[in-house]
Amino acid sequence: MLSNSMKQILFFLFLSCSLLVNAQKITLKKGGIINAISVKADSTETFALYLPKSFEPSQSFPVIFVFDEQGRGKQVLSVFREAAEKQGYILAASNNINDTLALSKNVLIASRMFSTVYSMLPIKKERSYAAGFAGGARIASLIPTFVKQIKGVISCGSPIANEEILSVKNEFHFIGIAGNTDYNYTAMLTSKKFLDKLKFPNQLLVFEGGHEWPKSNYIENAMEFFTLAAMTKGLEEKDQLFIDTSYKKHLGEVSNLNSSGRSYEAYKFLDNIMRVYRGVKETDSLKETAKALKRSKLFKTQNRNHNNTLFKENFIKGEYVYYLEEDVFHYNYNNLGWWKHQMEELKKYDKSTNRFERDMGKRLKGYLNALIDDNIDVVKAADPIDEEALTFLWMVKTITDAKNATPYLKVISNSAKVEDYGTALFYLEELLRMGYVNKDELYALEHTALLRITPEFNELVAKYLKEARYDVILDE
């Protein structure tokens, strides 16, 4: 019998491989994320790498390059890891991509990573894909325009970044994944219609949730769709067992959606699988199922409700854009009450009997906060910065994101900076009233040195947090 130590050595050898990288022989462990591999053309740049346990240097594998707007390679690969293991994909993610860099610089960083991965691993270049979430997804969707090897994109929580640069001469496969309450959901629907018009292969997968990473099974579905598309194009041999297994699984997902009363979602997912299986399997039975679903009373009702809410949502979003721009331009403090009313209106949707309206209410709240954040970024980028406009935007944010302490702290700091202590104290009490307890952060707040030593400031701290840092001296 083998000793435990010998078993561990054999297991490590099974899960590892030696490769020549940058003229050095290194051992890469399979089934685990390697955090920082140097880029061949620039040793100051690194990337994270994941090799599935099925990896063998004698075989070639598809690759997905995952983008994160803050260069967190290991973290983003951990999201894709489970699906990549099941579907046999290599993963790589740069640690140097950043949304603060110019697009041209990010493309060059990505290109250097691509070259290193292609030179060190047996990659099926015609099966190279990009992926990401939010800002990372926006970068990923731009990459195929500049790097011809990238043949597909998995975009989580973000539509196509720039539709104007797309060309039918440079077609790629786009798979969007979005939560039904993600504020980008409607934009992703619009992207889908645009891609359909261009006849780009594309699917949109929708899950229950907001602006967040999808669960692994949605990413796995996207990888399966890429593999099926590759089989259709002859880039992969048709694996009948793989086709039949995934087909059965996807039909089960349609059935589950339909049996749970979600006929609209069932039809949309069925449309996805009809498209991806068209070249590898007979789909006439799917067409009949789709026709039956579309004729059902429940689907017609849900489809009508969905379309009505989208129309209403777009109108409300237009109002938000118009009034926020006007209010910021005129420093319209009198209109803060209108924004509070809008939030009360959104709360009403939470109690709606129409689930599409409930989803819409959550999306609108997310959209409004994202809109304010975008405006804050624009004001901050100006030279000089319009401090009053910035303070006004933070005031609106205390209404739209009332449980978040940051907007309150920003208003207190900015108001103290211009010695508007009345406003600072008002927002201080609002912050303390909602349960804020971080006294150290409060007493270290920028621009509040004079405010912090006033009796009014310390009286409020003592009232809500039991003890102030400075004594409150009362007049005799």
Side-chain angles (χ1 to χ4, degrees), residues 41-261:
D42 188 339
S43 60
T44 64
E45 295 173 5
T46 64
F47 63 94
L49 180 71
Y50 177 79
L51 302 178
K53 292 175 184 176
S54 60
F55 176 81
E56 292 296 338
S58 60
Q59 301 174 15
S60 56
F61 289 78
V63 63
I64 297 178
F65 296 102
V66 188
F67 289 84
D68 178 72
E69 59 187 341
Q70 296 178 36
R72 296 166 296 191
K74 185 177 181 180
Q75 289 92 322
V76 292
L77 290 197
S78 66
V79 179
F80 281 73
R81 175 179 176 175
E82 183 181 344
E85 180 60 44
K86 291 180 180 178
Q87 297 299 317
Y89 280 73
I90 290 172
L91 303 173
S94 172
N95 293 314
N96 302 96
I97 293 290
N98 200 293
D99 63 350
T100 60
L101 298 175
L103 174 61
S104 57
K105 289 188 177 181
N106 278 326
V107 170
L108 289 173
I109 290 169
S111 296
R112 288 191 286 268
M113 173 182 63
F114 297 163
S115 296
T116 303
V117 172
Y118 291 145
S119 66
M120 67 183 276
L121 295 168
I123 300 294
K124 295 179 178 179
K125 288 188 179 180
E126 70 279 7
R127 294 207 57 208
S128 299
Y129 310 101
F133 170 72
R138 287 192 290 274
I139 296 172
S141 70
L142 289 167
I143 291 295
T145 301
F146 303 100
V147 183
K148 304 305 180 185
Q149 294 102 320
I150 304 303
K151 302 300 183 183
V153 173
I154 300 175
S155 179
C156 304
S158 176
I160 289 279
N162 191 340
E163 294 177 349
E164 294 178 359
I165 64 175
L166 297 182
S167 169
V168 292
K169 295 180 181 179
N170 186 33
E171 177 186 285
F172 60 91
H173 191 164
F174 183 86
I175 301 178
I177 308 179
N180 60 341
T181 59
D182 187 338
Y183 60 84
N184 273 331
Y185 170 74
T186 56
M188 295 186 78
L189 288 176
T190 302
S191 273
K192 176 163 179 53
K193 290 179 181 178
F194 183 80
L195 292 170
D196 284 342
K197 189 179 293 186
L198 287 181
K199 296 185 178 179
F200 272 43
N202 74 94
Q203 286 80 42
L204 177 60
L205 305 175
V206 181
F207 63 91
E208 289 285 314
H211 192 61
E212 58 193 287
W213 278 105
K215 291 181 179 178
S216 181
N217 59 304
Y218 288 90
I219 297 172
E220 186 180 347
N221 277 343
M223 291 182 184
E224 285 179 336
F225 288 177
F226 280 153
T227 300
L228 291 163
M231 290 179 183
T232 298
K233 293 179 179 179
L235 301 175
E236 293 281 359
E237 287 188 21
K238 289 185 180 179
D239 182 336
Q240 202 58 48
L241 178 60
F242 173 86
I243 293 169
D244 292 342
T245 302
S246 62
Y247 182 77
K248 183 179 179 180
K249 183 189 77 170
H250 292 144
L251 280 185
E253 292 176 37
V254 172
S255 179
N256 288 338
L257 287 168
N258 197 35
S259 62
S260 63

Side-chain angles (χ1 to χ4, degrees), residues 37 52 63 71 87 93 131 151 187 219 225 228 294 323 342 353 413 437 439 470:
I37 298 175
V63 63
Q87 297 299 317
K151 302 300 183 183
I219 297 172
F225 288 177
L228 291 163
K294 202 170 183 179
Y323 284 110
Q342 296 310 304
T353 56
S413 175
V437 295
K439 192 185 298 184
Y470 302 107

Side-chain angles (χ1 to χ4, degrees), residues 409 412 424-425 427-433 436-445 448 451-472:
L409 293 169
I412 295 166
L425 291 169
Y427 279 92
L428 171 63
E429 183 158 21
E430 291 295 302
L431 176 64
L432 293 170
R433 186 181 285 127
Y436 179 83
V437 295
N438 193 337
K439 192 185 298 184
D440 290 338
E441 183 178 34
L442 202 55
Y443 277 95
L445 195 58
T448 62
L451 176 66
R452 296 196 296 263
I453 62 174
T454 63
E456 294 85 356
F457 183 95
N458 288 280
E459 282 174 3
L460 285 173
V461 174
K463 177 181 176 182
Y464 289 94
L465 302 182
K466 296 183 180 179
E467 185 180 7
R469 180 165 295 181
Y470 302 107
D471 292 334
V472 179

